[in-house]
Amino acid sequence: MTIQATARLERATRVRAEDFLCAFDAGGAFPDARPGQFVHVRTPADLTLRRPFSVAAVTGRGRFELLVRKRGEGTAALLSLPEGAEVSVLGPSGNGFGLPEPGERAVLVAGGIGVAGLRHLSRTLARDGRRQVVLVGAPTATALLDGVLPGPTTDGAVRVEVATDDGSRGLRGTVCDLVGRALEETDAPARVYCCGPQAMLRSAAGIALAAGARCEALVEEVMACGIGACRGCVVRTRTGYRAACADGPVFDAAELVFDGEERA
Amino acid sequence: MRTPIMLASGTVGYGGELSGLCDFSSVGAIVTKTVTEAPRDGNRPPRLAETPGGLLNAIGLENVGIERFLDEKLPAAAALGAPVVVSVAGDSPAAFARLARRVGERPETAAVEINISCPNVERARRPVWDDPDATAAVVAAARAATGKPLLVKLSPNTADALSVAEAAQRAGADALVVANTLPGMRIDIETGRPALGNATGGLSGRALMPVNLALVWRIAAGVSIPLAGSGGVATAEDALEYLMAGASAVQVGTALFLDPDAATTIAEGLRRRMAHDGVRSVAEYKGMAGRMST
């Protein structure tokens, strides 16, 4: 259930350059978000719209984290708030990811700030003792958002692979170059979870689907209402337009029609 | 109405989307998303672009069509507890009449809003909203088709809004909504392309308020039926400006994106203001600006 609540900023921790993990406490009445859901935040800037952020973690009843990148007026105003400041939040909203079924391998694919959308999922899988392969891509090593997704574990439950465009860490290439290899390792069925720029989603989804894996993609769109009322944030799917806020933001990648593709 | 605050068409879906997020006892009426005879997909995305003080949208009247609306959406809207005004749009006077008849027959429908002013739908000829005769034809057809109160939503994008308003009144409108969005555009300078998939969209929000406030003031001087001011209403003070310009009610739209319960905030603000002013009815504010200027 989506509700409107006041959330207190507990702390903002710098992850890298202008990326911060912001911890909020919205009180015990605020429902816990599922992985892939988002929160619509009213920033303290004098803007017309709220700003949607993937829930990066749930840390207690009504307590959650958002990864905020300083991009424009809204995020700058949000990041200028002192600890203890209050903001209006609307959420948790959207459908969220489906968790892997027993025997299904979880392959997480994050491009750039897409790590934000997968952090809650990764933590949930780890909590439940599920194995996961985490694939992370960025232009350079310095652009990688270390610490947002969990690191590898010695027991192999979490395996992490990195790709950078310039080869400054991990494979020289894109995160999509890692997807095919990860899927070819075994014949076990896999479920691929993607979050990142649209070109990355398109490519990663294409590889995953071609390999016969199920694939879920978390899309990012400009939103107005955040609750499915205005129909402003629609994405194209094989069965018509669907609202990213209410029908998504997670979609079965096989249903999505990306830019440049024709509708079936 | 319990309060003079209506929730504007296009911003509340069919009403049910706001369930649990809005105190409907503060709402004078919900105006549903505009319904057409056939379902519509709407325009290609992107459909939204924020602007300083406003929002451009190019939804393109996406809706489920009259049949699904009557089956599913109207009963759900009526269950919320606020009067339901059904917004309709057709491509001919006869289509408006058919829609007005269908929704008017239903007990859940408190009133019908005639949407002649959506800027996001292609029209080959002179748009209805800019043509007093065409407006009169649509309103007269709808008038003949239903006994329910008939609201007509005008456009600010016309050289002579008063003539259109007068034509709507003569044709049988019970009230006018002043007004819809203004056409606008943004360009993504990185790609050189329009920011909206439809290239242009309708401007709403605070940036629109002075434009539509002036229209209310001008139209109020020329017609005798009630007006609902619409465009940029976010606070009790905004609502008061519309009332003082000559409106009897306001419609809140874009402000709901920041606060889905904005009607409650505005209603409480109005009550405080009335207590402060020693006013017993919002009607006492009506047209104050006009009275003072004559």
Side-chain angles (χ1 to χ4, degrees), chain B residues 85-121:
Chain B
V85 177
V86 181
S87 173
V88 298
D91 53 13
S92 66
F96 272 100
R98 287 191 296 271
L99 286 159
R101 179 176 300 111
R102 294 290 302 279
V103 302
E105 284 168 355
R106 293 288 291 261
E108 301 100 319
T109 303
V112 181
E113 183 173 289
I114 299 293
N115 180 4
I116 56 168
S117 47
C118 176
N120 294 325
V121 179

Side-chain angles (χ1 to χ4, degrees), chain B residues 162-255:
Chain B
L162 182 56
S163 291
V164 178
E166 289 170 335
Q169 177 178 265
R170 279 197 303 273
D174 294 299
L176 302 174
V177 182
V178 185
N180 209 317
T181 57
L182 265 179
M185 184 177 192
R186 290 208 80 172
I187 291 173
D188 179 340
I189 58 170
E190 299 305 321
T191 63
R193 290 182 190 156
L196 295 169
N198 194 48
T200 64
L203 177 67
S204 65
R206 301 185 72 77
L208 183 63
M209 181 163 159
V211 176
N212 286 2
L213 188 69
L215 277 180
V216 167
W217 188 76
R218 182 146 173 257
I219 291 171
V223 302
S224 56
I225 53 178
L227 307 182
S230 182
V233 179
T235 66
E237 289 74 20
D238 298 334
L240 268 173
E241 286 199 53
Y242 273 110
L243 296 172
M244 288 176 173
S248 300
V250 293
Q251 291 194 351
V252 183
T254 304

Side-chain angles (χ1 to χ4, degrees), chain A residues 225 227 229-230, chain B residues 7-13 18 31 33 252-257:
Chain A
C225 71
I227 53 173
C230 73
Chain B
L7 306 187
S9 179
T11 59
V12 294
L18 261 72
V31 189
K33 187 158 190 41
V252 183
T254 304
L256 300 174
F257 300 150

Side-chain angles (χ1 to χ4, degrees), chain A residues 48-51 231 241, chain B residues 41 44 47 50 62 258:
Chain A
T48 304
L49 300 180
R50 290 172 179 254
R51 297 290 186 266
R231 309 297 299 173
Y241 293 128
Chain B
D41 289 340
R44 60 175 297 179
R47 293 176 171 181
E50 205 169 356
E62 177 181 337
L258 281 182

